[in-house]
Amino acid sequence: MTKAIVDGKEIDVPPEYTLLQACEAAGAEIPRFCFHERLSIAGNCRMCLIEVVGIPKPQASCAMGVKDLPPNKDGSPKILNTKSAMVKKAREGVMEFLLINHPLDCPICDQGGECDLQDQAMAYGVDAGRYRENKRAVEDKYIGPLVKTIMTRCIHCTRCIRFTTEVAGVPELGAIGRGEDMEITTYLEHAMTSELQSNVVDLCPVGALTSKPYAFAARPWELNKTQSVDVMDAVGSAIRIDTRGREVMRILPRVNEDVNEEWISDKTRHVVDGFRTQRLDQPYVRVAGRLQPVSWKEAFATIASKVRSSSGKRIGALAGQMAGVEEMFALKSLMAKLGSKNIDARYPGSPLHTKFGRASYLFNSAIAGIDDADAIMLIGSNPRREAAVLNARIRKRYLKGNVLISVVGEKADLSYPYNYLGAGPETLAQFVEHAPAQKEKPMFIIGQGALNRPDGAAVLAMAAKAAASLGVVKDGWNGFNILHSEAALPGALDIGFVPEEGGMNTAAMLKAGELDVLFLLGVDEVEVPAGGFVVYIGTHGDRGAHRADVILPGAAYPEKSVTYVNTEGRAQMASRAAFPPGDAREDWAILRALSETLGQRLPYDSLGALRQALYAAHPHLSRIGQVTPGDASDISKLAKLGGHHDKAPLRSCVSDFYFTNAITRASAIMAECSALAHAAARTAAE
Amino acid sequence: MSVRRLAPPEMQPKDFSFSKDNLAWAKKEITKYPEGRQQSAIIPLLWRAQEQHGGWLPEAAIRHVSDFLGMAHIRALEVATFYTMFNLWPVGKFQVQLCGTTPCRLRGADDLEKVCRKRIGDQGEVTKDGKFSWVEVECLGACVNAPMAQINYDYYEDLTSESFGKILDNLAAGKKVKPGPQIDRQLSAPVGGATTLKEKA
């Protein structure tokens, strides 16, 4: 530990601390533009200058270590001043230089109101400039459909370059030219290809990089901010939903060190326009082949007549990828009242089941556990497409060094190098009886692509056996990780939204002629055969709605308060930021009203009452924000599943990152990104 | 200094690859650096590519070199645009770099500039026959022999508009020219012979 006196206050900090960290530890606030906790140190903006007594010139505190300070002759601690007249003058000088070339266009700048330069100019700026020459002007660059550039505003902090190179792992942004003529651009103004590229908008301390879809849409002070969680993948990134009136304007990341640190994927951020288009805003009933708008009463009556003429055995329910725990719980109760055991939330073939215990279907090491792992094997997963933020975490682990990353499955650019072991399940088979890995904390990451297939059970059993022999599961470490790609599934498995003995699973329910009535809770990804009567409860006019005989308009995730369980088993609550459009209602309320018409009234009149019942049945769901770990012994149960695996190679379950659910398919921006990605893939193949 | 951009697409060759000799040289050059640090060879390789391509660096060459070194294209572009000695636009067979810094200015660089403008055209322009182009550069470190210019690899010093014009004439005609001081002087020794230490010891 090293002692220092910051503004008269003595502190003791680890020697590897920078002066900036030491000052912050002492409670001093240091202005900065280029420095960022999660990026490498550049030290080029000079805003963080402080005074070190004994050194005649001000020092850039972000780039100097406490241990690099020359000791005082008498051995007394170094004195650091962050508020002295010298510091203020130095910072004012830096600010004046920064403002020389920065345009005074704050009134038309999208960063206005949340701009670091604006804020810090309030503290260190002077009221009038002394610069009488012409300002520099820089041509704007095209760097993709998501990030708008106004490069004259750029102050050359290089945060964006460091982010794409280090965190995203796709070195596309760079600084060409030198000195005053330095310009940030991509190579020949190609669009960026990273799934995390929009984070540069948050990182940019000025308005040089702003969100293109959100350009000139709203001012930060007009927005209502609601903390929520993301459901575009099963990572459960912490987000903030900004709304103005009824409309969701944008989605920003929140810091959650255990899950997404402070990044979110482009899909999470830019799916916003999908909430406005293709929405179902009133109930429909299919009459003579065409969907006709009807009242809720008529829609319920139609369903009731169909359900009454059927029996429990011939009624089924499927839950889709963005269904919340509460509504699945309500649907499960309703199905039980109707005498049906046919409920499922999994893809055909998936062997995951509540009966094997929670550890059998969760990301057991937790996402933060990736930081500790020293060997990672990806099985049938492309985390870059299935969970882009989690992939950045693996890359972070790779950059730290001393980790063995290997892949069984698809060969793809994951933004870090890896050992490619093979494509098919037979590659995994060689690990079933293998000497323990010479690693402290080995980890499996098993994607849904390895499980959602006819031999899913055999592959899962094999993975469990391999985990046992390699030492992936041992005392104090459980590295057996299932990476979910759909936000609803871990929650569905937690509450048992899967068929028990005698119930039909997804594959069985989707056979033609098996069911009279099928309830779809936002299911769009599977093909529902002709025949049976389909009730679709959902938000968008997508595949599920096209097949439906009755459509009940539900609420999308920013429009309801609902619980999701992420792939780690972390219960998180999404909050209501806006209201569903038109006659659409929250899904649990639809099910409650429907149950009344069906004569099987659900015993909860409010969301609070529903939650009470839910928490009584599944107490761990009430611990919002916390991971309730599974029991590692569950994994040995999986090994007994057995079965025979076939030869088909393991593929990622996500083929197009930008199109994974009904909301993304309704978004024009996602469509543009997807088209760009496909075009880039085609050029690369040529 | 001004913003440096790549030449427009219509001037760019479609592709570029090292000649056989240069490829062998480049492979050897890379071995100077430890494993995983091959990118350090970027400047010599770009320079060799520029020499091979008639004195300027096309976009295809930047791409080729970065692929060769296994680095992102933008990283090589950063280097190529940072250093002004990488010419991003076509240059003449004889590229004149005219020193325009204070000592040369005081000794008559203005006259040389007029010669350049008259004979070659504006800065960066290539003459129709493809022989000449010129650019003003900062101090080339030959102030004792001011004014001076560098043509390709050689310094031509103690120039006047006449002697400079003659050099350009001779180069255009394919005649041999003598680099170094263009007046009666040995390198940077005093004009007109030694001024001190004349007596024998």
Side-chain angles (χ1 to χ4, degrees):
Chain A
M1 298 296 269
T2 310
K3 279 196 167 64
I5 299 172
V6 179
D7 297 335
K9 188 174 155 193
E10 186 167 322
I11 50 154
D12 209 359
V13 293
E16 69 272 12
Y17 263 34
T18 61
L19 297 188
L20 189 142
Q21 285 173 303
C23 292
E24 292 206 317
E29 204 177 310
I30 310 284
R32 84 285 304 268
F33 293 113
C34 72
F35 177 78
H36 193 276
E37 287 85 355
R38 290 175 221 278
L39 303 176
S40 63
I41 294 168
N44 55 5
C45 77
R46 317 309 288 179
M47 198 60 204
C48 62
L49 293 175
I50 62 161
E51 180 185 2
V52 182
V53 175
I55 300 179
K57 290 181 180 178
Q59 296 298 311
S61 60
C62 72
M64 192 176 208
V66 172
K67 65 171 183 286
D68 301 330
L69 289 174
N72 284 344
K73 272 183 193 145
D74 58 356
S76 60
K78 285 302 251 191
I79 298 172
L80 312 177
N81 290 325
T82 69
K83 298 190 178 89
S84 63
M86 181 243 227
V87 171
K88 187 158 174 12
K89 195 179 166 203
R91 289 184 190 160
E92 280 173 359
V94 170
M95 179 58 77
E96 194 172 359
F97 274 117
L98 285 176
L99 291 177
I100 278 181
N101 279 319
H102 192 81
L104 289 174
D105 62 352
C106 303
I108 56 148
C109 177
D110 261 329
Q111 192 86 348
E114 48 188 4
C115 173
D116 288 358
L117 187 64
Q118 227 177 14
D119 295 347
Q120 292 177 32
M122 291 304 289
Y124 298 103
V126 279
D127 57 349
R130 290 183 285 174
Y131 190 69
R132 295 285 170 264
E133 318 298 320
N134 288 330
K135 286 194 175 206
R136 175 200 58 161
V138 183
E139 289 163 40
D140 295 342
K141 311 288 187 296
Y142 172 81
I143 58 172
L146 301 177
V147 181
K148 182 184 167 189
T149 64
I150 299 104
M151 296 319 276
T152 305
R153 295 178 188 149
C154 178
I155 59 167
H156 300 164
C157 70
T158 69
R159 271 186 190 178
C160 51
I161 301 177
R162 284 175 283 147
F163 174 82
T164 51
T165 310
E166 293 160 17
V167 178
V170 191
E172 289 173 317
L173 281 175
I176 60 164
R178 66 202 277 191
E180 191 187 27
D181 299 313
M182 181 172 140
E183 297 181 356
I184 305 289
T185 184
T186 53
Y187 189 73
L188 304 185
E189 304 197 22
H190 286 315
M192 293 193 281
T193 58
S194 168
E195 295 80 10
L196 297 167
Q197 54 175 283
S198 293
N199 288 301
V200 299
V201 171
D202 295 336
L203 287 171
C204 186
V206 295
L209 305 178
T210 53
S211 172
K212 208 174 237 177
Y214 175 70
F216 307 127
R219 284 302 198 179
W221 54 85
E222 312 174 300
L223 300 170
N224 284 320
K225 291 125 186 141
T226 312
Q227 301 199 341
S228 191
V229 291
D230 172 54
V231 299
M232 289 297 122
D233 51 37
V235 174
S237 303
I239 56 169
R240 193 185 93 191
I241 301 173
D242 285 4
T243 48
R244 186 176 60 188
R246 294 180 67 99
E247 203 174 6
V248 176
M249 299 306 294
R250 63 171 177 180
I251 292 175
L252 294 178
R254 274 187 301 132
V255 176
N256 187 344
E257 294 294 342
D258 294 329
V259 179
N260 59 323
E261 299 185 274
E262 63 176 275
W263 319 123
I264 53 172
S265 71
D266 294 345
K267 187 164 52 173
T268 301
R269 186 187 302 257
H270 288 296
V271 75
V272 171
D273 67 331
F275 299 134
R276 298 175 199 142
T277 46
Q278 294 281 323
R279 285 305 295 268
L280 302 170
D281 57 357
Q282 57 180 331
Y284 289 88
V285 167
R286 196 176 289 277
V287 181
R290 292 181 66 88
L291 287 165
Q292 306 284 351
V294 292
S295 69
W296 280 101
K297 245 188 184 153
E298 291 167 279
F300 286 161
T302 315
I303 298 167
S305 72
K306 280 282 171 189
V307 168
R308 285 207 189 98
S309 66
S310 178
S311 69
K313 280 211 167 110
R314 292 186 59 82
I315 298 176
L318 292 174
Q321 56 173 302
M322 288 179 292
V325 171
E326 284 85 349
E327 53 228 37
M328 285 190 285
F329 184 73
L331 184 55
K332 189 187 172 194
S333 320
L334 180 62
M335 295 309 286
K337 281 185 178 263
L338 291 173
S340 166
K341 286 180 175 173
N342 309 327
I343 50 173
D344 207 342
R346 306 163 302 170
Y347 276 95
S350 175
L352 301 176
H353 201 287
T354 313
K355 67 185 174 200
F356 300 124
R358 288 187 90 224
S360 72
Y361 59 82
L362 291 181
F363 201 96
N364 289 304
S365 74
I367 293 170
I370 293 172
D371 298 348
D372 301 327
D374 51 6
I376 300 172
M377 194 194 287
L378 300 168
I379 300 165
S381 172
N382 178 342
R384 190 169 168 189
R385 290 206 296 263
E386 292 162 28
V389 173
L390 187 136
N391 194 52
R393 196 102 179 198
I394 302 177
R395 178 173 163 78
K396 182 176 145 192
R397 178 65 195 89
Y398 154 74
L399 288 178
K400 219 160 80 184
N402 223 352
V403 64
L404 175 73
I405 302 175
S406 32
V407 168
V408 180
E410 234 173 281
K411 217 175 194 172
D413 177 11
L414 296 178
S415 78
Y416 41 82
Y418 52 79
N419 289 338
Y420 186 67
L421 300 176
E426 64 280 358
T427 316
L428 192 58
Q430 69 190 17
F431 293 103
V432 167
E433 299 202 357
H434 195 278
Q438 303 294 314
K439 297 281 179 184
E440 291 287 309
K441 293 183 168 176
M443 171 185 280
F444 275 6
I445 296 180
I446 302 159
Q448 298 301 302
L451 307 175
N452 298 340
R453 40 191 270 153
D455 62 344
V459 175
L460 186 61
M462 219 154 54
K465 282 180 209 153
S469 61
L470 286 173
V472 168
V473 185
K474 52 181 149 189
D475 277 347
W477 174 252
N478 186 350
F480 187 81
N481 295 331
I482 306 286
L483 177 61
H484 287 271
S485 56
E486 303 197 339
L489 192 50
L493 290 163
D494 267 6
I495 61 160
F497 201 90
V498 279
E500 299 291 331
E501 278 309 305
M504 281 193 249
N505 64 17
T506 306
M509 280 191 259
L510 291 177
K511 267 192 210 130
E514 285 291 324
L515 295 176
D516 292 333
V517 182
L518 177 61
F519 289 93
L520 299 179
L521 189 58
V523 179
D524 293 293
E525 309 302 317
V526 292
E527 193 73 25
V528 181
F533 183 82
V534 174
V535 180
Y536 179 79
I537 307 170
T539 55
H540 284 72
D542 204 64
R543 294 168 198 165
H546 285 297
R547 170 63 188 87
D549 295 292
V550 174
I551 294 174
L552 304 176
Y557 69 93
E559 296 154 4
K560 55 189 175 191
S561 170
V562 68
T563 308
Y564 291 99
V565 179
N566 82 348
T567 190
E568 306 167 281
R570 187 187 301 273
Q572 302 191 103
M573 186 101 66
S575 315
R576 181 156 82 182
F579 291 92
D583 274 346
R585 292 289 180 270
E586 290 185 38
D587 304 44
W588 80 268
I590 296 172
L591 291 164
R592 165 68 180 73
L594 177 64
S595 70
E596 188 107 49
T597 315
L598 294 176
Q600 305 284 354
R601 200 169 69 87
L602 291 172
Y604 2 92
D605 297 331
S606 69
L607 188 55
L610 166 58
R611 286 211 171 114
Q612 224 163 27
L614 173 69
Y615 295 158
H618 309 283
H620 71 275
L621 292 174
S622 65
R623 292 192 282 275
I624 296 297
Q626 291 173 39
V627 173
T628 311
D631 182 359
S633 64
D634 294 343
I635 293 158
S636 53
K637 285 187 222 161
L638 288 178
K640 296 185 195 109
L641 271 176
H644 198 72
H645 66 80
D646 53 27
K647 288 259 182 314
L650 302 174
R651 305 193 63 80
S652 167
C653 59
V654 178
S655 57
D656 186 340
F657 169 75
Y658 298 101
F659 280 152
T660 51
N661 57 46
I663 306 180
T664 53
R665 281 189 290 268
S667 158
I669 293 156
M670 289 298 110
E672 194 180 348
C673 291
S674 170
L676 255 178
H678 280 293
R682 261 202 306 279
T683 335
E686 271 165 15
Chain B
M1 282 288 296
S2 59
V3 178
R4 280 156 47 79
R5 292 259 189 269
L6 293 178
E10 59 270 20
M11 286 189 187
Q12 298 280 2
K14 257 223 161 85
D15 22 52
F16 174 94
S17 54
F18 276 129
S19 66
K20 214 174 139 201
D21 290 350
N22 283 343
L23 190 69
W25 172 87
K27 279 183 181 153
K28 204 168 150 231
E29 189 70 17
I30 292 176
T31 59
K32 287 183 182 173
Y33 302 97
E35 185 60 35
R37 295 279 183 269
Q38 286 82 358
Q39 303 184 354
S40 304
I42 177 87
I43 289 180
L45 259 64
L46 283 176
W47 185 254
R48 186 56 69 98
Q50 172 163 310
E51 283 178 335
Q52 183 185 319
H53 197 262
W56 72 285
L57 201 55
E59 184 268 327
I62 297 173
R63 212 163 0 111
H64 178 73
V65 170
S66 57
D67 287 341
F68 193 78
L69 295 172
M71 57 202 285
H73 294 165
I74 184 74
R75 292 284 104 82
L77 183 68
E78 286 178 329
V79 174
T81 54
F82 186 91
Y83 294 103
T84 51
M85 282 168 75
F86 291 123
N87 298 312
L88 303 178
W89 285 59
V91 294
K93 190 179 164 203
F94 301 105
Q95 156 87 333
V96 180
Q97 298 181 62
L98 180 69
C99 178
T101 308
T102 317
C104 284
R105 281 267 175 230
L106 292 171
R107 297 275 295 158
D110 288 336
D111 297 336
L112 305 185
E113 195 181 322
K114 270 179 212 147
V115 174
C116 285
R117 285 199 189 280
K118 202 170 131 228
R119 295 189 50 110
I120 302 173
D122 280 340
Q123 270 197 67
E125 250 176 55
V126 183
T127 50
K128 280 208 182 96
D129 56 5
K131 285 226 164 110
F132 291 103
S133 61
W134 77 281
V135 64
E136 184 185 322
V137 297
E138 299 305 327
C139 186
L140 290 173
C143 312
V144 175
N145 301 63
M148 61 79 66
Q150 180 182 355
I151 303 177
N152 290 352
Y153 296 110
D154 293 319
Y155 277 17
Y156 296 87
E157 300 157 329
D158 298 309
L159 295 169
T160 60
S161 36
E162 290 78 40
S163 59
F164 186 46
K166 213 167 146 198
I167 289 169
L168 297 183
D169 286 340
N170 286 339
L171 286 173
K175 287 186 201 154
K176 243 185 145 175
V177 290
K178 184 177 80 80
Q182 301 299 312
I183 54 173
D184 178 25
R185 180 182 199 178
Q186 189 207 354
L187 303 181
S188 303
V191 180
T195 55
T196 50
L197 299 175
K198 284 179 171 171
E199 299 84 20
K200 284 202 173 116

